[in-house]
Amino acid sequence: MRYETAANAVIDDRELEQLAAEPSRPLFPLFSAAEAMYPLVVVLAFLPALYAVVHSHLTDSGALQGLAGLRILASGEIGAGDAPAEFERLDRQRFQPPLMNWLTAAGLKSLGIGSAAGLAASSYLCTVGLLLAAYALGRRLGGEKLGLMAVLLLAFHPLILEGAQQPTPQSATALFALLTLAGVVTHWQKSSSITSYQLLLAGISLGLCLLAGGPVALVLFGIMATYILVWKIETRWRKTRSGTVWDRSQFSRRTAIRSATVLAATAFALAGWQVLLFSSRFGAEFWMQWLVPAGDRASALIPDGKLSRLSAAWLKINLLAVPIWGLTCVGLFAVLRDVWHGHEDPARRHRLILFPWIVIALGAWVCEGGLNSADDPSLNTWAALLVIPLVMAAALGLIEIAERRVGFTTAVVAGLITLVDMAIFAGRSPDVPAGDTGLAAGLSRAAIGNSSVITLSALLAGLGIARFASASEPRRRIVLAGLLATIVLSNCWWGASTIRHAAASDREIDDLRAGLSRLSRVGRFTFVAPLRGVRSLPEQPPVRLVYGLASLWPNARFNFADSWEDAISPTGFEPNTAAAGATAYVAWSPRGLIRGTAPDPSLKSAATSFIFQGLEVVVYVRDAGRVTGVDSAVEARISFDSR
């Protein structure tokens, strides 16, 4: 039926029903007070990371970073990273960007060498700063709501929590990358000149990013340069399409290029010396290891077969954004929608930078070996650079659904895809140990083989939701609010459940350190492999064992020997009369094999033998007063000393 109003306007029944229906209102009215929720941001920045640190355990990468920090403290030289190291795994990292080594050394110096707090202090504080920087960038790209939601999702992401547990470069690199982007976006929004104090701060952050992540800073500058190009292309397209220019800022193309030049010059003036110094000394060797750091990566993780490779590659990429893929797609769609229709709020500019950020970071992660390699500190740095824009897009998608700017059907489909994705794929992370009995392992066993059941259940749930919510707007609000709450809680649960807790080997090292703590005057110690010919014996002892003893006796010199004869022979060693205190020998051999007795009756067992990573470890000690002339020459230059 059609009706004619007094103004001769014709209205049909459908329009009357739409006018009579309850309007779509935001799901969470509390969002309107997001400006007052900064204390919540601070809580989210500090507490989840603190929970991860409290339950952390020492990993090989963390122990290796601790050894690098000890080397700096022992040498007293900031540039000691190029010193030859007898410990091969430490020597392979001599071209690693030095900032995290300095921060680790500062944490050990301030809070105690050998303490868990001293080792994790730098990574924890960098993670806190990372989350606060994410809030600052989120505010620039979408207001306080986007900043709050980005921090909420990032604070419980497994990769971010892992970065808080160990002193690896990923948290520091991501922190300065976010500060760089926040400063640049602020400059674009607030200034029409070539430079400003925000741009100078961004240049300083980019320089620190170069010292923390090396080539990550180059990729970050490439992201910004690509975005400027896209930005100008979009402006020209909009002018051709509608005859009007969408005022992103008052920048001209020439001004934007000059600002980028100032940014790069500031960063190079702060940190370029480190790259030039190593390049002049080592040339191509430095560039090869600096661009593709040498790590402990297990290759051939992707099986043979085209279909298997595609599925395995998708799984590894998918695991970076579990459980927020659906929200990420909604957020990216919202950015494209605003660009196409020109409805973007002028105060929320530059969200389009998420696209070149994701594409370039994904390409860099793949080129560095992310699809073919296992968990590695350098790879985690690239993964963090990719995870952050994915999570920020997911936060934007959550806001779009909560503000009812997305259709009901689209919101439900995206929410169900998100939950199904977590149920099917999250438990299949290759980083979950096979013998783990925690929540993540339980999810893994429950999810494998049940994909079809989970998918069918999601389809039935979707049909039930559509039938339930089709009647009225209040029911739709209940469904969407419950769906978003479930996604956020699932994200928090998944992040907390993937935190790695202390293992038995950590307790064994702590017990060994406690037993040897009475030997406070150890001047030198030697790792002895009396069964070097055994095929199963590694080249050098486990890095966690080396760090455990090196941090217990930080002023002692240590070396490695392939036999007792090499350990007590003065050949090839320089006497060091400055060394004082007892001499310790750490014998390590495969479990169950006869390792032989100590060659000298003056050697006393300092602690009971224990098994560590399949190796039997025994520590002998000889008092300083019983050292003979031959023994006084048993000396090797410690890997912590620079030459």
Side-chain angles (χ1 to χ4, degrees):
M1 184 176 296
R2 301 166 66 87
Y3 303 91
E4 186 173 347
T5 64
N8 296 325
V10 178
I11 303 177
D12 57 16
D13 291 337
R14 180 176 298 179
E15 292 176 339
L16 287 175
E17 291 177 359
Q18 293 177 353
L19 292 174
E22 181 179 351
S24 298
R25 294 179 290 107
L27 297 177
F28 306 106
L30 193 61
F31 264 19
S32 59
E35 297 84 352
M37 292 187 180
Y38 187 75
L40 179 59
V41 173
V42 176
V43 171
L44 290 172
F46 279 89
L47 289 188
L50 182 61
Y51 174 77
V53 170
V54 169
H55 292 86
S56 65
H57 74 292
L58 185 64
T59 63
D60 287 350
S61 58
L64 205 59
Q65 196 70 50
L67 285 173
L70 288 177
R71 180 171 62 180
I72 290 177
L73 293 178
S75 66
E77 298 179 9
I78 289 180
D82 61 335
E86 291 185 6
F87 194 43
E88 294 178 358
R89 294 187 61 182
L90 187 61
D91 185 52
R92 291 201 301 267
Q93 293 194 343
R94 58 177 174 166
F95 297 132
Q96 173 182 296
L99 182 59
M100 200 61 202
N101 296 342
W102 302 342
L103 295 177
T104 303
L108 293 173
K109 183 72 173 179
S110 302
L111 300 179
I113 296 176
S115 66
L119 188 62
S122 56
S123 58
Y124 171 69
L125 293 178
C126 286
T127 302
V128 172
L130 183 160
L131 295 172
L132 296 177
Y135 175 76
L137 180 60
R139 285 186 60 195
R140 288 299 164 190
L141 297 181
E144 286 78 5
K145 298 176 185 178
L146 181 57
L148 176 62
M149 289 298 103
V151 172
L152 176 60
L153 296 180
L154 273 176
F156 291 93
H157 194 280
L159 190 63
I160 302 301
L161 293 177
E162 181 182 349
Q165 289 184 305
Q166 303 297 328
T168 52
Q170 69 184 67
S171 294
T173 304
L175 163 63
F176 294 115
L178 284 174
L179 288 177
T180 301
L181 290 173
V184 169
V185 172
T186 304
H187 171 68
W188 287 338
Q189 291 178 342
K190 289 189 173 183
S191 176
S192 59
S193 61
I194 295 176
T195 187
S196 65
Y197 78 91
Q198 293 98 340
L199 186 68
L200 293 178
L201 292 177
I204 294 173
S205 299
L206 184 61
L208 294 175
C209 184
L210 183 63
L211 290 176
V216 175
L218 303 182
V219 172
L220 187 65
F221 184 80
I223 291 171
M224 291 182 286
T226 304
Y227 171 66
I228 292 176
L229 178 62
V230 172
W231 166 10
K232 297 306 175 184
I233 293 175
E234 176 224 346
T235 302
R236 178 172 296 182
W237 166 79
R238 187 169 300 282
K239 184 177 181 180
T240 304
R241 176 172 175 260
S242 60
T244 59
V245 177
W246 189 2
D247 182 25
R248 277 186 180 273
S249 79
Q250 301 177 27
F251 271 15
S252 65
R253 183 183 296 105
R254 181 175 300 178
T255 305
I257 294 175
R258 290 179 177 177
S259 294
T261 303
V262 171
L263 178 72
T266 304
F268 186 80
L270 178 66
W273 62 268
Q274 192 263 343
V275 177
L276 293 178
L277 176 64
F278 278 84
S279 178
S280 62
R281 287 189 182 183
F282 302 100
E285 181 186 2
F286 161 72
W287 288 109
M288 289 296 295
Q289 295 190 28
W290 189 75
L291 293 174
V292 184
D296 303 312
R297 305 180 184 181
S299 60
L301 292 180
I302 295 183
D304 295 333
K306 185 175 182 180
L307 184 60
S308 299
R309 287 178 185 157
L310 290 176
S311 61
W314 165 247
L315 175 61
K316 289 186 70 68
I317 296 174
N318 182 72
L319 287 171
L320 295 178
V322 168
I324 55 173
W325 261 120
L327 297 181
T328 299
C329 295
V330 173
L332 295 177
F333 169 78
V335 174
L336 290 178
R337 179 201 62 200
D338 292 341
V339 170
W340 179 262
H341 294 292
H343 294 158
E344 182 181 356
D345 186 348
R348 310 290 183 252
R349 298 167 179 153
H350 305 292
R351 290 189 296 189
L352 194 62
I353 196 176
L354 293 177
F355 283 92
W357 188 354
I358 292 173
V359 172
I360 295 177
L362 177 61
W365 177 71
V366 172
C367 291
E368 287 287 329
L371 296 179
N372 297 306
S373 302
D375 186 34
D376 182 81
S378 60
L379 285 179
N380 288 345
T381 300
W382 293 104
L385 187 67
L386 174 59
V387 160
I388 292 173
L390 293 175
V391 173
M392 197 157 291
L396 180 60
L398 189 150
I399 295 172
E400 289 289 313
I401 295 175
E403 297 290 329
R404 307 302 302 276
R405 291 194 288 265
V406 177
F408 175 75
T409 303
T410 302
V412 171
V413 170
L416 290 178
I417 288 176
T418 297
L419 296 177
V420 169
D421 180 68
M422 188 199 71
I424 293 178
F425 293 106
R428 299 188 180 185
S429 171
D431 299 333
V432 178
D436 193 359
T437 58
L439 293 175
L443 178 60
S444 177
R445 290 189 295 270
I448 295 177
N450 293 327
S451 301
S452 58
V453 176
I454 295 173
T455 304
L456 180 60
S457 300
L459 290 175
L460 295 176
L463 293 175
I465 289 174
R467 185 176 181 84
F468 170 79
S470 61
S472 63
E473 173 64 18
R475 291 187 178 184
R476 294 185 178 185
R477 293 174 56 82
I478 293 174
V479 168
L480 293 179
L483 201 59
L484 292 182
T486 303
I487 292 173
V488 172
L489 292 177
S490 298
N491 178 74
C492 298
W493 172 83
W494 173 243
S497 65
T498 52
I499 291 177
R500 300 175 180 178
H501 292 247
S505 58
D506 298 297
R507 293 188 290 270
E508 291 172 351
I509 291 182
D510 291 339
D511 293 340
L512 176 65
R513 287 169 51 86
L516 297 176
S517 59
R518 57 186 176 83
L519 304 174
S520 58
R521 291 180 55 81
V522 174
R524 62 180 182 268
F525 60 98
T526 301
F527 290 94
V528 186
L531 298 177
R532 170 55 64 191
V534 178
R535 181 178 301 178
S536 60
L537 194 65
E539 290 294 327
Q540 289 186 327
V543 61
R544 285 190 286 168
L545 179 63
V546 176
Y547 173 74
L549 296 180
S551 60
L552 180 63
W553 305 314
N555 297 321
R557 297 175 177 270
F558 76 80
N559 62 281
F560 303 92
D562 292 340
S563 64
W564 282 113
E565 290 76 12
D566 292 339
I568 65 175
S569 173
T571 304
F573 294 97
E574 284 188 24
N576 184 6
T577 56
T583 302
Y585 298 90
V586 184
W588 55 289
S589 59
R591 181 181 184 180
L593 297 180
I594 300 176
R595 65 176 184 275
T597 59
D600 194 324
S602 64
L603 297 179
K604 304 298 182 183
S605 178
T608 58
S609 62
F610 73 101
I611 305 300
F612 179 77
Q613 294 184 354
L615 301 173
E616 185 177 1
V617 182
V618 182
V619 180
Y620 300 96
V621 67
R622 172 184 287 160
D623 293 336
R626 304 189 64 176
V627 176
T628 64
V630 171
D631 295 326
S632 63
V634 181
E635 198 66 59
R637 288 196 179 277
I638 188 174
S639 60
F640 297 152
D641 286 348
S642 61
R643 295 183 179 179

